[in-house]
Amino acid sequence: MVSSKDVAKRAGVSQSTVSRVLNDSPSVSKDNIEKVTKAMKDLNYRPNSIARSLVSKQTKTLALISGPLHNPFFVETTTSIVNYANEKGYKMNVFFENMGDNMSVYESVLSMQLDGLILSSIFMDDPIYEELQSLNIPFVMFNRKHNKGGNFVEIDNEKAGKTAADHLIDLGHEKIGYIGGPLYTSTFYGRYIGFCKEVEKRTVLDQALIHETDTSEDAVREAVLKMMGRKHKPTAIFAATDAIAIFAIDTLKELGYGIPEDVSICGMDNVRMARHHSFELTTIGHKTDKNLGRLGIEHLIELIEDSNDPKEQVRTTMDPILYKRKTTCKL
């Protein structure tokens, strides 16, 4: 069996140089990298990843706990996270949130040997936060965050809710509905608070038009049916995710309503599907081309690879921006 010693001899370098090349050390010259890479190819050498992890104390393995896949936001972020991790030489174990009960998922993750964790599943007062800290590995939250802080990448959700309310009110709407998700998550709580405060400030907030759901298609459909079954129907709806907006549009069209001539819809997240020519969803997102998952995994790998260089915590809150498209119009 070919060893790293054989590779070093073939390349004309020390065995420690071979080790540094295998561990992507920045201290190796380009010339030596080329020599070692060629020697490994010539000798058909495959490094023993288990032995390397014992020496480096790294597994090159990460875990992602993502939100539910019925939301295209999580489809896009999961794809970005896995692709970037693979580019950087990390294996990614992917888990998906159980709405309201994540303990079984956390138990699986906590039993693994990992270099880092990225998650969008945490609740604001989630007791798992202390256990995650006790692992002594970097973890980054994206889209959601815990009340105790930690490393996170998010959009300013309260400002986003305010932005949606302002947009719809500026168009002349006074009866505005809201459909969101569980208020024990920072995303939906912030969007709900920002929306309600601004509606109360500028017009009248009708609590009968406020619906907290589990974000599933059936739950959104039920919320829309309740809203449109009232004598005083909403003329506009703020859907706290683009997935909710799309489910709501489908139900409204089934009921015979036109979008936006009968009901204006504003979503949130600016997923790629929001730009689909069949509806061109008005929505709220952030200003960069990278989604929150991509930003989060970049920060996580930086924390892992610069572990000997103490850094400030990652606490990124991005300003929201309104993308005006074709699902909202003047009353």
Side-chain angles (χ1 to χ4, degrees):
M1 180 181 290
V2 178
S3 68
S4 61
K5 188 175 180 181
D6 298 322
V7 173
K9 184 177 180 180
R10 178 68 171 252
V13 299
S14 67
Q15 198 168 351
S16 62
T17 297
V18 174
S19 178
R20 285 197 296 273
V21 171
L22 292 173
N23 287 289
D24 298 319
S25 172
S27 65
V28 188
S29 69
K30 184 178 178 181
D31 183 52
N32 280 342
I33 291 173
E34 290 174 354
K35 287 179 181 177
V36 171
T37 302
K38 184 178 185 304
M40 287 193 293
K41 185 176 180 181
D42 291 345
L43 296 172
N44 197 26
Y45 172 73
R46 290 181 176 82
N48 186 323
S49 60
I50 296 175
R52 284 173 61 195
S53 72
L54 291 173
V55 172
S56 66
K57 297 183 179 179
Q58 283 193 337
T59 64
K60 301 294 278 188
T61 302
L62 308 174
L64 161 66
I65 309 178
S66 171
L69 286 180
H70 66 250
N71 184 342
F73 171 86
F74 293 116
V75 177
E76 291 179 12
T77 52
T78 296
T79 301
S80 294
I81 289 166
V82 171
N83 287 346
Y84 185 78
N86 288 342
E87 285 174 20
K88 294 296 182 180
Y90 288 85
K91 300 186 290 291
M92 179 66 72
N93 294 290
V94 181
F95 301 82
F96 294 100
E97 170 185 313
N98 294 322
M99 287 299 289
D101 178 18
N102 284 322
M103 286 312 300
S104 60
V105 176
Y106 285 132
E107 285 170 6
S108 297
V109 172
L110 293 171
S111 67
M112 302 174 68
Q113 188 175 354
L114 301 168
D115 291 340
L117 170 66
I118 181 168
L119 66 161
S120 62
S121 56
I122 202 157
F123 309 142
M124 289 190 293
D125 293 311
D126 207 323
I128 200 67
Y129 182 81
E130 282 74 18
E131 287 192 57
L132 294 177
Q133 282 194 312
S134 71
L135 291 176
N136 291 319
I137 61 168
F139 68 95
V140 174
M141 299 165 280
F142 72 97
N143 194 50
R144 299 182 191 171
K145 65 180 180 182
H146 196 274
N147 280 340
K148 291 186 177 179
N151 298 308
F152 62 80
V153 179
E154 62 165 2
I155 195 167
D156 189 327
N157 290 294
E158 188 166 338
K159 191 181 288 187
K162 178 184 184 301
T163 300
D166 281 335
H167 173 60
L168 296 173
I169 294 168
D170 289 345
L171 292 173
H173 297 279
E174 295 181 354
K175 300 289 286 184
I176 306 173
Y178 169 89
I179 307 175
L183 295 181
Y184 49 74
T185 65
S186 62
T187 44
F188 291 120
Y189 180 78
R191 294 168 196 185
Y192 165 82
I193 290 296
F195 171 82
C196 290
K197 280 183 178 178
E198 193 65 11
V199 172
E200 282 185 324
K201 179 180 172 183
R202 297 188 57 187
T203 180
V204 177
L205 181 67
D206 185 348
Q207 286 293 340
L209 298 180
I210 305 297
H211 291 269
E212 179 185 351
T213 73
D214 65 6
T215 76
S216 67
E217 185 172 4
D218 288 344
V220 173
R221 176 182 172 80
E222 184 180 350
V224 172
L225 292 175
K226 286 181 179 177
M227 283 187 188
M228 305 314 292
R230 290 174 50 79
K231 181 179 179 181
H232 300 292
K233 300 173 176 59
T235 59
I237 296 172
F238 171 42
T241 69
D242 289 343
I244 292 174
I246 293 166
F247 293 152
I249 288 170
D250 190 54
T251 301
L252 287 164
K253 284 183 172 291
E254 182 184 328
L255 295 172
Y257 293 99
I259 310 297
E261 54 270 23
D262 295 322
V263 184
S264 284
I265 303 283
C266 179
M268 171 86 205
D269 286 332
N270 193 37
V271 299
R272 281 193 291 271
M273 192 182 295
R275 289 160 253 171
H276 198 285
H277 293 300
S278 61
F279 44 81
E280 295 185 62
L281 180 67
T282 294
T283 185
I284 297 165
H286 55 80
K287 295 179 182 179
T288 70
D289 292 333
K290 296 178 181 179
N291 62 49
L292 296 180
R294 172 59 184 262
L295 294 171
I297 190 64
E298 287 180 0
H299 284 302
L300 178 62
I301 290 177
E302 184 179 346
L303 289 171
I304 293 167
E305 296 187 347
D306 294 343
S307 58
N308 295 324
D309 179 20
K311 292 184 178 295
E312 293 183 5
Q313 286 187 307
V314 176
R315 293 188 174 178
T316 303
T317 300
M318 308 184 75
D319 280 332
I321 183 171
L322 176 70
Y323 292 88
K324 296 179 184 178
R325 297 195 181 105
K326 295 184 178 179
T327 59
T328 56
C329 70
K330 287 188 176 181
L331 187 61

